[in-house]
Amino acid sequence: MRVRNWVWTTALALLLVVGLSACAKKVPPPAPPPPEPPAPVVQPAPPPPPPPPAPAPAPPRQLTEDEIFQQKTLAQLNAEMPLGDVFFDYDMSVLSAEARATLQRNADWMKRWTTTRVSVEGHADSRGSSEYNLALGDRRANAVRDYMVSLGIAADRLLAVSKGEESPLCAEETEACWSRNRRGHAVITAK
């Protein structure tokens, strides 16, 4: 009997252990660790601002009147006609009041540009002989030169030349055309 009790006691204890272990609450496995927080999204640094535009080049320096004058050729100066023509009456070499006013402006220009030299051409219309018109052109050129000298222009800056009827401005045989050909014309020859 004692063996039986022992078997029964052992069986009962075993049954009790198995029963209790079967009914026991299972311990849940440990919770997985929380997921790692997402890596912060690093915004790339904004690109640097573009460099400021290069400063505009300084505007070119304005040329002085003297520099502009020096850059011009004699052909350019003569094409601009800074020296006015003077006109004469038929068969005359006397300067009119209008001609003297024009020559005053010419003298002022030559006083401003003191290194210039001018050839004063005396012209005639086509009436009369070539010899007569050359002599008349000479008187007209000298009348212009002499008046310019009286206004203070050095005589060595003025050369009087007769063109007679050989270089007309106008070729028509009319009084209007002839009056344009009777002139004293200044040509700049040096600057």
Side-chain angles (χ1 to χ4, degrees):
M1 210 61 110
R2 239 182 188 226
V3 171
R4 254 183 185 188
N5 275 343
W6 181 83
V7 172
W8 276 110
T9 313
T10 307
L12 186 60
L14 195 58
L15 190 58
L16 194 63
V17 168
V18 169
L20 280 178
S21 58
C23 290
K25 231 180 183 184
K26 291 189 177 179
V27 178
E36 296 219 10
V41 178
V42 177
Q43 293 290 334
R61 179 180 64 82
Q62 282 293 92
L63 296 177
T64 65
E65 188 179 17
D66 289 341
E67 291 169 329
I68 292 169
F69 181 80
Q70 290 305 319
Q71 288 180 351
K72 292 180 183 178
T73 65
L74 289 176
Q76 288 171 321
L77 283 173
N78 283 309
E80 292 173 2
M81 296 185 69
L83 302 174
D85 286 349
V86 294
F87 297 93
F88 295 90
D89 290 332
Y90 176 69
D91 201 29
M92 300 295 290
S93 58
V94 176
L95 296 170
S96 66
E98 184 179 344
R100 286 192 297 278
T102 299
L103 293 176
Q104 178 63 60
R105 287 189 298 275
N106 291 356
D108 292 343
W109 186 89
M110 289 187 72
K111 287 175 183 176
R112 168 64 179 93
W113 305 109
T114 58
T115 58
T116 57
R117 294 185 182 279
V118 172
S119 175
V120 179
E121 299 176 348
H123 294 265
D125 61 33
S126 59
R127 295 176 289 181
S129 70
S130 292
E131 294 80 21
Y132 180 81
N133 286 334
L134 277 172
L136 181 58
D138 186 57
R139 288 193 303 273
R140 289 174 174 166
N142 282 307
V144 170
R145 185 191 54 132
D146 292 346
Y147 190 72
M148 295 283 286
V149 168
S150 77
L151 294 174
I153 304 302
D156 64 348
R157 294 178 60 200
L158 299 163
L159 174 65
V161 177
S162 177
K163 293 290 185 168
E165 61 186 77
E166 302 305 316
S167 299
L169 256 175
C170 180
E172 297 172 15
E173 295 292 321
T174 64
E175 181 56 41
C177 183
W178 290 327
S179 67
R180 290 178 57 205
N181 289 336
R182 297 188 300 260
R183 70 192 190 285
H185 177 68
V187 177
I188 303 163
T189 57
K191 58 178 203 148

